[in-house]
Amino acid sequence: MDLVPALQEPLKKVLGPATAKVMAEHLGLHTVGDLLHHYPRRYEERGQLTHLADLPMDEHVTVVAQVADARLHTFASSKAPRGKGQRLEVTITDGSGRLQLVFFGNGVHKPHKELLPGTRAMFAGKVSVFNRRLQLAHPAYELLRGDTEGEETVESWAGALIPLYPATAKLESWKLAKAIQTVLPSAQEAVDPLPDSLREGRGLVSLPEALIKIHLPHTKADIEDARARLKWDEAFVLQVALARRRHAETQLPAVPRKPGRDGLLTAFDDRLPFTLTDGQQKVSREIFDDLATDHPMHRLLQGEVGSGKTLVALRAMLAVVDSGGQAVMLAPTEVLAQQHHRSVVEMMGELAEGGMLGGAEHATKVVLLTGSMGAAARRHALLDLATGEAGIVIGTHALIEDKVQFHDLGLVVVDEQHRFGVEQRDALRGKGKQPPHLLVMTATPIPRTVAMTVFGDLETSVLDQLPAGRSPIASHVVPAADKPHFLARAWERVREEVSGGHQAYVVCPRIGDEDDDPKKKAAQRASPEDDAEKRPPLAVLDVAGQLAEGPLQGLKVEVLHGRMQPDDKDAVMRRFAAGETDVLVATTVIEVGVNVPNATAMVIMDADRFGVSQLHQLRGRVGRGSAPGLCLLVSEMPEASAARQRLNAVASTRDGFELSRIDLEQRREGDVLGQAQSGARTSLRVLAVIEDEEIIAEARQEAAAVVAADPELTGLPGLRTALEALLDEEREQYLEKG
């Protein structure tokens, strides 16, 4: 009979079904190994906490003390008018001070029986003041039983570091601690994933030792040793997973694509009215070097809003067309695909008129393919793709359909990677005779360590210089609730921009045609308190009407949102781009890629409903021409709220990388690494993506060396086991999506 390895043992066998059920449902813990990897959030030093004389107000504390006296009072109240209300007051002391505990109602029976004078116990609760005296209301407590045993327990606890665990209302921290003490002997059987040479070279303790020290530390140095070791585990195993993916990609064959000497790319560069920035030249060289190799390029191009990513991508596409291949650009929305198509055709001029009269000598065809095209236009486009007549194709996920065939697909450019799943990316890459090269673009700046963790299977290029001719953007928070006259002034500023010959965007979080549901409306009306958060977000259709009849009366106001017909969307964008519309009231469909240099002002309504990087993206739509830009962030949130602090941060800096750091610190890494998607077990627990930058960078190097020497990890069974645990299927998909 096979014995289940100790760490795979289900908790219900070890701790009993009731406790195991709570752990599984509320903490996602199912096996002994899961529980051992549920690390303490922090530690209390018993010695410093038993001084009742100097307890902090309004904080959760845990104290060890002795019951001095306990009294039960009855009183009349609205709930118990006949004097049947009960209140138990218990005074505890630790020799340095006294503290009152109070229990009410049905909660008095158990403590009344257990908290007798002389009893020693641990008490945990929030310190408050009542009648000018400190008290703990309804504290949780744990008795320290037996005279001699109690003395020893308290003594051992007085100096010890008490681990406090991420707990739930159903399971206090000390119950978790008890459960962990039960399974802690199994830690000796934990298989170490780190190669001995790496562990010894960095002076790290073994995994069994780290698990014991993190749950049962004798000194602060024990905690440091354990955390240092466990951080390395998380960073290293994750980087090995990514290094193996990179290694597998380098084993695939690809057609090297080198631009011709005097071909399309040269002709394009010659007609550019400006010179490329140093950053654009450097990134282009990295891309051209990758394209010239015989395995597929895998590169992430991240650039600030407006840093000229599209131009860099277009030059890569032209290089591939020069070498006889086809290049495709995948955009997340039809509005964006049409916009890219328009701007590429404009930039290329007669070079985009391949096969037409007046087309230049090296010209090619630039074709648009979206889901809403008419049948005839679509047939025509598909034919151009299949014959190779179209060197450059721009489209939405309509490109992924089975019917779409390419003559010789050489490069796939994915715009705004986070909107596409791995299946879509792979389906498109599968249309090449050999795997095509891949360039992924994002305008959401990502701190270096997150790029190494989330996009670790891609090499990274960064464009952080803005092209010459870009104008500064002034950003301000408009506190609509505290200072309504600021909002009135915002609309005056929009009028001033329009009277100066410019245009403006007004962005709202919602469309406004979706709330005909009476149940929703009732739910929204149910809670008048906290209005700024409880009311539904402002909607495009409502705001556009109010502005056209109110503060922006007389201006040409139009709306744009995702549920409009594609032709209508395109017509609205064309009118706005041509300067026929003064103010465009839109949802975030304008977030990426929309380029109207004459638009100088943007007002973002309910700005607190958007994420930091989203606000930064939106702001990048103005200031794209020679006139300075203005971005107003309107919010009704109170000044002290976290939401307002976030908006102040956005208003104070234009540096997208700095903002992404702020965003990450506020959201915690779990969100970035898809914690919700991959189950609590596989998310980072001790590794902090921002703080542990050095560990991640070093782990990436070590992982690359290990995988280069032994791609199948045959000599490292412990590491293979850890990888399998990390890469359960969901997690693997998440990593691939990036």
Side-chain angles (χ1 to χ4, degrees):
M1 173 181 120
D2 283 352
L3 284 173
V4 179
L7 273 66
Q8 302 289 310
E9 190 79 57
L11 287 173
K12 59 173 175 262
K13 286 195 175 167
V14 188
L15 303 174
T19 309
K21 185 169 185 237
V22 174
M23 286 190 179
E25 284 177 5
H26 293 276
L27 297 166
L29 308 173
H30 303 277
T31 65
V32 168
D34 292 347
L35 185 53
L36 286 175
H37 286 294
H38 186 73
Y39 307 134
R41 178 183 288 138
R42 58 196 173 89
Y43 301 83
E44 294 294 14
E45 285 183 78
R46 180 61 56 221
Q48 73 185 29
L49 266 185
T50 45
H51 292 304
L52 296 179
D54 37 41
L55 281 175
M57 272 296 300
D58 279 340
E59 282 194 24
H60 280 279
V61 297
T62 306
V63 296
V64 171
Q66 187 164 14
V67 177
D69 66 48
R71 297 176 185 180
L72 190 63
H73 303 273
T74 54
F75 60 92
S77 72
S78 56
K79 286 185 179 164
R82 289 198 293 280
K84 291 280 171 43
Q86 290 190 310
R87 180 173 78 247
L88 175 67
E89 289 176 2
V90 178
T91 306
I92 57 172
T93 178
D94 65 348
S96 74
R98 295 165 85 80
L99 179 66
Q100 179 122 7
L101 314 179
V102 48
F103 301 86
F104 292 102
N106 295 334
V108 303
H109 305 307
K110 185 167 177 274
H112 191 214
K113 281 203 300 253
E114 294 181 335
L115 297 179
L116 305 171
T119 308
R120 292 176 78 84
M122 270 201 302
F123 302 93
K126 192 172 180 182
V127 183
S128 57
V129 171
F130 181 71
N131 278 348
R132 293 204 293 247
R133 287 170 66 193
L134 289 183
Q135 71 166 29
L136 292 183
H138 278 288
Y141 61 88
E142 175 81 345
L143 301 179
L144 303 175
R145 300 184 188 283
D147 297 336
T148 55
E149 185 195 337
E151 285 302 319
E152 278 169 27
T153 316
V154 172
E155 286 318 305
S156 64
W157 276 21
L161 293 154
I162 304 293
L164 292 185
Y165 291 90
T168 74
K170 302 259 192 246
L171 206 62
E172 284 101 354
S173 172
W174 56 64
K175 289 187 183 159
L176 271 163
K178 271 192 173 162
I180 287 167
Q181 297 308 324
T182 308
V183 301
L184 202 52
S186 307
Q188 295 294 355
E189 297 182 44
V191 184
D192 204 318
L194 293 191
D196 293 344
S197 57
L198 188 158
R199 205 185 67 204
E200 286 155 15
R202 295 186 178 273
L204 299 168
V205 301
S206 70
L207 182 57
E209 191 181 334
L211 289 172
I212 289 167
K213 280 184 167 175
I214 202 153
H215 292 299
L216 200 60
H218 295 298
T219 62
K220 287 185 174 169
D222 283 353
I223 299 170
E224 286 311 304
D225 286 350
R227 288 179 65 82
R229 163 61 215 246
L230 295 166
K231 281 182 175 189
W232 254 94
D233 270 21
E234 289 183 1
F236 181 70
V237 174
L238 185 55
Q239 291 302 335
V240 167
L242 295 163
R244 287 186 73 189
R245 180 150 319 113
R246 286 197 304 275
H247 180 269
E249 297 286 3
T250 62
Q251 303 307 301
L252 295 171
V255 180
R257 308 282 179 175
K258 296 178 181 157
R261 219 161 233 285
D262 286 316
L264 190 53
L265 180 62
T266 313
F268 175 75
D269 284 349
D270 288 346
R271 55 169 286 136
L272 277 179
F274 50 82
T275 51
L276 299 177
T277 64
D278 294 345
Q280 286 172 325
Q281 288 179 357
K282 175 177 158 284
V283 169
S284 289
R285 277 196 299 278
E286 291 171 351
I287 291 171
F288 289 155
D289 288 348
D290 282 0
L291 288 173
T293 61
D294 55 8
H295 55 80
M297 164 170 83
H298 264 92
R299 194 163 278 282
L300 169 70
L301 170 57
Q302 46 168 329
E304 273 290 12
V305 181
S307 57
K309 290 184 303 297
T310 314
L311 177 63
V312 169
L314 177 55
R315 292 184 74 241
M317 292 164 87
L318 294 172
V320 169
V321 175
D322 261 352
S323 71
Q326 289 169 293
V328 59
M329 182 186 266
L330 188 59
T333 64
E334 294 212 346
V335 166
L336 195 48
Q338 286 159 341
Q339 176 93 25
H340 276 320
H341 181 254
R342 256 201 305 280
S343 60
V344 165
V345 169
E346 275 166 23
M347 279 196 269
M348 287 176 63
E350 75 252 22
L351 297 175
E353 295 170 0
M356 292 189 238
L357 278 172
E361 178 195 351
H362 297 293
T364 186
K365 219 177 200 181
V366 180
V367 167
L368 177 69
L369 185 69
T370 63
S372 62
M373 284 168 74
R378 188 182 171 76
R379 252 199 324 275
H380 209 93
L382 289 172
L383 190 63
D384 285 342
L385 267 59
T387 59
E389 186 88 3
I392 294 180
V393 185
I394 296 168
T396 54
H397 37 258
L399 284 168
I400 296 165
E401 291 173 11
D402 292 344
K403 290 196 212 75
V404 180
Q405 299 295 326
F406 290 88
H407 177 64
D408 178 16
L409 182 57
L411 170 66
V412 175
V413 179
V414 180
D415 191 21
E416 287 309 315
Q417 153 68 10
H418 58 280
R419 309 268 184 106
F420 290 101
V422 66
E423 307 79 21
Q424 293 168 305
R425 210 165 81 181
D426 284 350
L428 192 49
R429 283 168 56 194
K431 293 185 179 292
K433 295 188 174 68
Q434 280 195 322
H437 299 278
L438 175 70
L439 179 65
V440 169
M441 299 199 295
T442 177
T444 308
I446 306 161
R448 170 171 165 256
T449 44
V450 181
M452 283 193 284
T453 334
V454 183
F455 292 102
D457 58 337
L458 302 170
E459 298 301 329
T460 306
S461 295
V462 177
L463 270 179
D464 47 13
Q465 251 179 315
L466 287 185
R470 278 301 165 90
S471 302
I473 302 174
S475 305
H476 303 285
V477 178
V478 177
D482 318 345
K483 300 179 177 164
H485 60 286
F486 275 39
L487 184 58
R489 174 73 187 118
W491 301 127
E492 282 174 25
R493 283 292 290 111
V494 169
R495 293 193 83 97
E496 286 164 16
E497 289 297 312
V498 172
S499 63
H502 297 296
Q503 294 158 278
Y505 297 101
V506 177
V507 180
C508 302
R510 209 164 51 97
I511 297 172
D513 58 0
E514 63 279 294
D515 38 4
D516 304 325
D517 183 349
K519 280 188 197 156
K520 265 197 201 160
K521 282 198 169 167
Q524 282 158 1
R525 276 200 305 272
S527 41
E529 77 281 358
D530 207 0
D531 288 343
E533 273 201 302
K534 290 291 194 294
R535 68 162 170 74
L538 292 171
V540 167
L541 300 175
D542 304 340
V543 169
Q546 289 158 11
L547 291 177
E549 289 164 22
L552 302 185
Q553 200 168 10
L555 301 187
K556 179 97 169 59
V557 178
E558 286 210 65
V559 299
L560 179 71
H561 58 75
R563 278 214 283 277
M564 290 165 63
Q565 288 301 314
D567 291 353
D568 296 344
K569 273 193 271 196
D570 198 36
V572 168
M573 268 320 296
R574 276 176 194 279
R575 286 196 291 276
F576 190 64
E580 295 164 24
T581 306
D582 297 322
V583 180
L584 186 62
V585 183
T587 55
T588 52
V589 289
I590 61 154
E591 178 187 347
V592 276
V594 171
N595 185 20
V596 180
N598 191 44
T600 52
M602 175 175 285
V603 182
I604 303 178
M605 307 303 290
D606 278 346
D608 48 89
R609 309 278 181 134
F610 299 99
V612 169
S613 53
Q614 210 174 16
L615 291 169
H616 181 59
Q617 287 272 6
L618 286 165
R619 170 171 62 186
R621 299 300 118 215
V622 295
R624 298 177 81 86
S626 53
L630 173 69
C631 179
L632 301 175
L633 306 166
V634 180
S635 171
E636 292 186 5
M637 296 305 278
E639 188 149 8
S641 64
R644 272 286 284 283
Q645 286 165 3
R646 212 169 59 226
L647 296 181
N648 291 339
V650 175
S652 67
T653 177
R654 284 284 315 281
D655 181 342
F657 287 91
E658 177 55 30
L659 285 174
S660 67
R661 228 173 165 62
I662 292 167
D663 195 21
L664 192 63
E665 280 162 5
Q666 289 195 336
R667 288 191 303 159
R668 302 187 329 282
E669 294 86 15
D671 302 1
V672 179
L673 295 177
Q675 184 168 337
Q677 216 170 337
S678 349
R681 231 182 21 197
T682 54
S683 58
L684 299 187
R685 297 182 187 84
V686 284
L687 191 71
V689 173
I690 293 272
E691 290 158 34
D692 298 319
E693 186 161 338
E694 277 176 34
I695 294 179
I696 293 171
E698 288 171 22
R700 183 178 166 105
Q701 282 181 328
E702 293 272 11
V706 164
V707 170
D710 179 6
E712 293 306 310
L713 308 177
T714 37
L716 297 165
L719 179 54
R720 282 224 310 277
T721 309
L723 262 184
E724 282 157 19
L726 173 77
L727 296 180
D728 51 20
E729 279 173 36
E730 278 186 296
R731 176 66 171 189
E732 185 130 42
Q733 283 172 0
Y734 183 78
L735 282 175
E736 286 180 348
K737 282 178 186 170

